[in-house]
C-alpha cells in the first residue's frame, strides 16, 4: 500500500521512490551532520487510484462534489501497519511545519497533503490515468519537546546566513550553532541548499530544499503556531441557505464557520470508563455551547448498538439507568447549572410512538420538557418512523434528524457493519421515493429536518434534500468548507433549473 523507510537508511537508489532531496538529507546524516530522526513515506497510489476511478470528474460542476466523496472514503482508510510499526512509540511529529500529536492525526494529515496535490492536478489537467503517480513523498520527523523551528540558507552575496524562525524563539547560542551548521552542510553537499531546522534538545536539520538566490533579504522573521499555516489568510466559508452542523462527537477542534453542532453521545460516553467519558462529554457540550451561543447544539442521547435487531436506542435508555442517568446528569449540569440553554435533545433510534412518549415522560420527570428554550428532536432511523410520521408529529416534537445510513440499511436489508454488503448503500432510488411523502408532511407541518450520515453528501441525495427543503447537513470537521461550497453550487443549480435556464 505504502512504502516507509527511516531517513538514515535512504540511499541513492531510493531517490526514484523517496525523492532526491530526502536522500540528500540521509547523506547529511551519514556525514555526521545532526539530522533529526524520522521516516519518509510514499503515497498509497493504488488505493488513491482505485477510489478516484469510481467517481465522475468529467465536468467542473460535479468536480467538488466528487472530490468531497473521495476525501470521505480516503479518510476512512485505516492506518497501515507498516507505518504504525515504523512510528513505534513516538507520539509527536513534525510534518510540513505542523506539529502533530497522534498517529491518527498524522495519517489524516498525510492523506490530506496527497489529496490536495491530486486536486491541484485535476484543476490543471482534468482526470487522467496516472494522476496518482509520483505524488511527493513526505518526511515525518520525530520530536519530543520542540522549542522552535524554521528555515535558513547561506547568502553568498551578503556573505551571511539568513535564518527565519517560523515558530517559537531561538536562543542566541543556538543561533550561532545553526549558522555553523548551515555552512558546514553546504560544504558537505558542495552546492548551496536551503535547510529546515528544529530545536528539539539541540539544533537539528529536518529538511533540504533547493536554494534559489533572491534579490531581497527578509529582515523580519514570521512566527506562527504549528498547524496554522504560513501566514495565509483563511478564506470565508461560502454561504448557503442550508445550515452546516459540525459533528463534534469525535475530535476536539471547533470550527468557527458553522451554523450549529451535533453531538452523538454514544461515541463519547463509555460504560467501561464512566467517569472519564462523562467528563469528556460535559467538556464537549460546554465547549460547543459557549463557542456558539446563538446556534443550536443538538445533543443525541446514546444509541448503544450491538447490531441489527438488538436492544438499542430509546428502548435501552428506558430500561438501563446506568446509561440514561449520566446523560441526564450532563444535561442537568449544562442547562440548569451553567445556563447554556442552546443545548437541545435528540431522542435516538425509536421503534414506535409508545417508546417516544415514554422517553418524553422520563425526561419530564427530570425537568426536561418541551418549551421555547428546549427543543426535542426525533432521530428517524427505521422505516416505521416514516410510515407513522404523522403520529410522531401529534405526539409533539420540534425537529427531525434523518439518519440516512441507518434508513437505507433497514430499507435495503443489509448490515452496514459487513463491508461486502455496503454496495447496497449506493442503491438510493428506493430510499428517496420512500421518504419523499414524509418530507412533504414535515414541510407542511413547519417541522425542520436535518440529514445525518455519509449518504447525505452523495450528489443525487444532496440535490434531493435541498429540493425538499432540508434545514441542515451534519458533517465532519474536515468537510465543513467543502460541504458549504457543495450546498451553494447545488442551490445555484436548482435555482437555474426553476428559472428555466
Amino acid at each position: 500500500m505504502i512504502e516507509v523507510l527511516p531517513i538514515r537508511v535512504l540511499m541513492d537508489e531510493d531517490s526514484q521512490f523517496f525523492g532526491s532531496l530526502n536522500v540528500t538529507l540521509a547523506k547529511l546524516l551519514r556525514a555526521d551532520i545532526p539530522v533529526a530522526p524520522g521516516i519518509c513515506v510514499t503515497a498509497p497510489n493504488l488505493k488513491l487510484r482505485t477510489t478516484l476511478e469510481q467517481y465522475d470528474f468529467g465536468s467542473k460542476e460535479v468536480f467538488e462534489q466528487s472530490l468531497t466523496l473521495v476525501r470521505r472514503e480516503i479518510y476512512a482508510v485505516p492506518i497501515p501497519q507498516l507505518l504504525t510499526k515504523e512510528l513505534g512509540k513516538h507520539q509527536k511529529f513534525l510534518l510540513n511545519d505542523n506539529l502533530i500529536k497522534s498517529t491518527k492525526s498524522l495519517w489524516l494529515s498525510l492523506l490530506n497533503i496527497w489529496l490536495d496535490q491530486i486536486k491541484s492536478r485535476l484543476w490543471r489537467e482534468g482526470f487522467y490515468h496516472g494522476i496518482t503517480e509520483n505524488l511527493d513523498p513526505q518526511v515525518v520527523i520525530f520530536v519530543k519537546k520542540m522549542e522552535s523551528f524554521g528555515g535558513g540558507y547561506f547568502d553568498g552575496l551578503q556573505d551571511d546566513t539568513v535564518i527565519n524562525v517560523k515558530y517559537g524563539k531561538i536562543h542566541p547560542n543556538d543561533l550561532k550553532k545553526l549558522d555553523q551548521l548551515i555552512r558546514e552542510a553546504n560544504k558537505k553537499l558542495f552546492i548551496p541548499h536551503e535547510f529546515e531546522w528544529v530545536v528539539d534538545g539541540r539544533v537539528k536539520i529536518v529538511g533540504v530544499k533547493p536554494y534559489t538566490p533572491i534579490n531581497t533579504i527578509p529582515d523580519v522573521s514570521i512566527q506562527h503556531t504549528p498547524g496554522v499555516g504560513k501566514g495565509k489568510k483563511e478564506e470565508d466559508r461560502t454561504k448557503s441557505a442550508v445550515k452546516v452542523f459540525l459533528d463534534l462527537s469525535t475530535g476536539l477542534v471547533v470550527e468557527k464557520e458553522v451554523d450549529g453542532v451535533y453531538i452523538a453521545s454514544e461515541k463519547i460516553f463509555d460504560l467501561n470508563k464512566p467517569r472519564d467519558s462523562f467528563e469528556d462529554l460535559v467538556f464537549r457540550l460546554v465547549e460547543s455551547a459557549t463557542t456558539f451561543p446563538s446556534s443550536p447544539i443538538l445533543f443525541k442521547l446514546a444509541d448503544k448498538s450491538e447490531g441489527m435487531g438488538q436492544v438499542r436506542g430509546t428502548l435501552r435508555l428506558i430500561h438501563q439507568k446506568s446509561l440514561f442517568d449520566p446523560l441526564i446528569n450532563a444535561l442537568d449540569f449544562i442547562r440548569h447549572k451553567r445556563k447554556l440553554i442552546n443545548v437541545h435533545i435528540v431522542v435516538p433510534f425509536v421503534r414506535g410512538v409508545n417508546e417516544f412518549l415514554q422517553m418524553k415522560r422520563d425526561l419530564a420527570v427530570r425537568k426536561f420538557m418541551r418549551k421555547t428554550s428546549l427543543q426535542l428532536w426525533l432521530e428517524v432511523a427505521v422505516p416505521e418512523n416514516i410510515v407513522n410520521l404523522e403520529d410522531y408529529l401529534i405526539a409533539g416534537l420540534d425537529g427531525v434528524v434523518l439518519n440516512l445510513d441507518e434508513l437505507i440499511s433497514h430499507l435495503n436489508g443489509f448490515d452496514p457493519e459487513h463491508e461486502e454488503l455496503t454496495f447496497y448503500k449506493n442503491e438510493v432510488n428506493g430510499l428517496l421515493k420512500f421518504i419523499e411523502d414524509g418530507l412533504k408532511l414535515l414541510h407542511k407541518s413547519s417541522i425542520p429536518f436535518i440529514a445525518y450520515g455519509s449518504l447525505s453528501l452523495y450528489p443525487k441525495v444532496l440535490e434531493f434534500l435541498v429540493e425538499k427543503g432540508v434545514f441542515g447537513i451534519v458533517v465532519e470537521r474536515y468537510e465543513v468548507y467543502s460541504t458549504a461550497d457543495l450546498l451553494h453550487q447545488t442551490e445555484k443549480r436548482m435555482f437555474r433549473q426553476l428559472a428555466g435556464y
Side-chain angles (χ1 to χ4, degrees):
M1 182 179 179
I2 63 172
E3 295 290 339
V4 184
L5 281 181
I7 294 173
R8 66 178 184 275
V9 303
L10 293 178
M11 305 296 288
D12 287 333
E13 54 267 27
D14 298 316
S15 60
Q16 181 178 355
F17 300 101
F18 292 95
S20 59
L21 292 175
N22 297 330
V23 172
T24 300
L25 187 63
K27 290 180 179 179
L28 289 176
L29 178 60
R30 288 190 288 272
D32 295 327
I33 298 293
V35 174
I39 58 174
C40 192
V41 188
T42 63
N45 293 334
L46 180 61
K47 178 61 180 177
L48 292 170
R49 185 177 74 247
T50 54
T51 301
L52 285 172
E53 288 174 349
Q54 299 177 31
Y55 294 92
D56 178 19
F57 293 97
S59 63
K60 188 175 180 180
E61 188 176 66
V62 298
F63 178 87
E64 286 293 342
Q65 293 182 357
S66 299
L67 197 58
T68 297
L69 296 176
V70 169
R71 284 186 185 275
R72 193 182 193 100
E73 185 171 340
I74 292 297
Y75 286 159
V77 175
I79 304 173
Q81 292 183 355
L82 180 59
L83 178 60
T84 304
K85 180 181 177 181
E86 291 294 341
L87 293 178
K89 297 181 179 180
H90 296 282
Q91 292 297 322
K92 291 184 179 181
F93 314 99
L94 184 63
L95 174 67
N96 280 4
D97 292 355
N98 294 326
L99 181 62
I100 301 170
K101 298 183 179 181
S102 72
T103 302
K104 182 178 180 180
S105 298
L106 174 65
W107 176 236
L108 292 178
S109 298
L110 286 168
L111 291 174
N112 196 51
I113 290 172
W114 290 318
L115 284 172
D116 285 343
Q117 191 175 353
I118 291 174
K119 179 180 178 180
S120 177
R121 294 180 180 182
L122 282 167
W123 274 112
R124 293 195 311 266
E125 305 172 44
F127 183 80
Y128 59 91
H129 292 291
I131 194 171
T132 62
E133 300 295 328
N134 300 317
L135 295 174
D136 294 339
Q138 299 298 316
V139 170
V140 179
I141 299 298
F142 305 148
V143 295
K144 294 181 179 179
K145 190 177 180 180
M146 187 176 67
E147 300 174 24
S148 60
F149 73 79
Y153 59 91
F154 181 78
D155 190 331
L157 295 177
Q158 299 293 326
D159 194 26
D160 196 8
T161 302
V162 179
I163 297 174
N164 294 317
V165 181
K166 298 179 180 178
Y167 166 74
K169 296 181 180 180
I170 184 169
H171 192 275
N173 291 338
D174 290 331
L175 199 61
K176 183 178 180 180
K177 292 177 182 177
L178 185 57
D179 173 48
Q180 296 173 350
L181 187 60
I182 290 176
R183 292 171 184 263
E184 186 178 354
N186 271 334
K187 291 180 181 178
K188 297 290 184 181
L189 299 178
F190 302 108
I191 59 175
H193 284 77
E194 184 177 349
F195 301 94
E196 295 176 325
W197 54 266
V198 64
V199 178
D200 184 31
R202 61 171 180 156
V203 179
K204 304 172 186 176
I205 300 295
V206 297
V208 180
K209 294 181 178 179
Y211 169 64
T212 303
I214 55 178
N215 295 326
T216 59
I217 303 175
D219 55 359
V220 179
S221 297
I222 300 175
Q223 178 174 329
H224 65 87
T225 304
V228 174
K230 301 181 180 180
K232 183 179 179 180
K233 185 177 179 181
E234 185 177 351
E235 298 179 356
D236 294 333
R237 177 171 67 88
T238 305
K239 299 298 182 181
S240 64
V242 180
K243 309 298 183 184
V244 176
F245 284 74
L246 171 65
D247 188 349
L248 201 59
S249 308
T250 57
L252 292 174
V253 180
V254 178
E255 292 285 346
K256 296 294 184 182
E257 295 295 329
V258 295
D259 305 301
V261 173
Y262 186 85
I263 297 177
S265 60
E266 69 270 10
K267 297 181 180 179
I268 306 170
F269 184 71
D270 187 349
L271 288 168
N272 297 319
K273 301 177 182 178
R275 183 173 180 178
D276 293 341
S277 59
F278 176 81
E279 292 177 354
D280 186 17
L281 178 63
V282 172
F283 171 76
R284 291 173 190 271
L285 285 170
V286 172
E287 183 76 11
S288 55
T290 53
T291 304
F292 305 101
S294 303
S295 302
I297 311 299
L298 299 183
F299 174 59
K300 176 188 167 187
L301 302 179
D303 175 21
K304 291 291 185 181
S305 174
E306 297 176 357
M308 293 185 70
Q310 302 298 316
V311 176
R312 58 178 292 194
T314 296
L315 181 62
R316 185 167 181 173
L317 288 169
I318 292 172
H319 295 284
Q320 188 175 354
K321 296 303 179 184
S322 62
L323 178 60
F324 180 71
D325 287 345
L327 304 178
I328 299 305
N329 291 337
L331 275 171
D332 180 64
F333 175 79
I334 296 297
R335 288 189 56 90
H336 297 156
K337 295 182 180 179
R338 291 296 302 269
K339 304 299 181 182
L340 299 172
I341 59 175
N342 58 329
V343 177
H344 307 286
I345 301 173
V346 179
V347 179
F349 199 86
V350 177
R351 288 188 172 102
V353 179
N354 290 334
E355 279 187 11
F356 181 61
L357 289 172
Q358 182 61 48
M359 177 53 65
K360 290 186 67 175
R361 285 191 287 267
D362 290 349
L363 290 170
V365 170
R366 301 295 292 269
K367 299 182 180 180
F368 292 103
M369 294 167 286
R370 286 181 66 213
K371 50 187 174 182
T372 305
S373 62
L374 177 59
Q375 298 178 1
L376 193 64
W377 289 59
L378 170 71
E379 182 189 36
V380 171
V382 295
E384 185 275 344
N385 302 152
I386 298 293
V387 174
N388 296 320
L389 187 57
E390 188 171 0
D391 294 335
Y392 287 99
L393 296 179
I394 294 173
L397 53 85
D398 298 290
V400 164
V401 178
L402 282 177
N403 192 326
L404 296 176
D405 291 350
E406 287 275 7
L407 275 172
I408 198 168
S409 67
H410 289 90
L411 195 64
N412 288 5
F414 70 95
D415 189 341
E417 297 299 323
H418 291 279
E419 294 184 3
E420 62 271 18
L421 298 177
T422 54
F423 67 90
Y424 284 115
K425 195 174 180 179
N426 298 321
E427 305 296 330
V428 299
N429 290 336
L431 173 66
L432 301 185
K433 291 178 182 178
F434 181 72
I435 66 175
E436 184 173 9
D437 290 339
L439 299 186
K440 289 180 181 178
L441 178 60
L442 290 175
H443 182 72
K444 184 178 179 181
S445 305
S446 299
I447 298 296
F449 71 93
I450 66 174
Y452 176 86
S454 60
L455 202 63
S456 62
L457 292 181
Y458 282 33
K460 187 174 183 179
V461 177
L462 183 64
E463 188 168 331
F464 172 84
L465 292 172
V466 172
E467 181 183 356
K468 299 304 176 185
V470 65
F471 178 73
I473 304 287
V474 181
V475 297
E476 300 282 352
R477 178 182 64 83
Y478 59 83
E479 297 172 322
V480 169
Y481 291 96
S482 58
T483 299
D485 188 60
L486 276 177
L487 290 169
H488 177 73
Q489 296 295 333
T490 303
E491 290 170 356
K492 184 168 65 173
R493 185 165 61 252
M494 293 190 62
F495 176 78
R496 289 176 176 175
Q497 290 176 355
L498 292 173
Y501 295 132

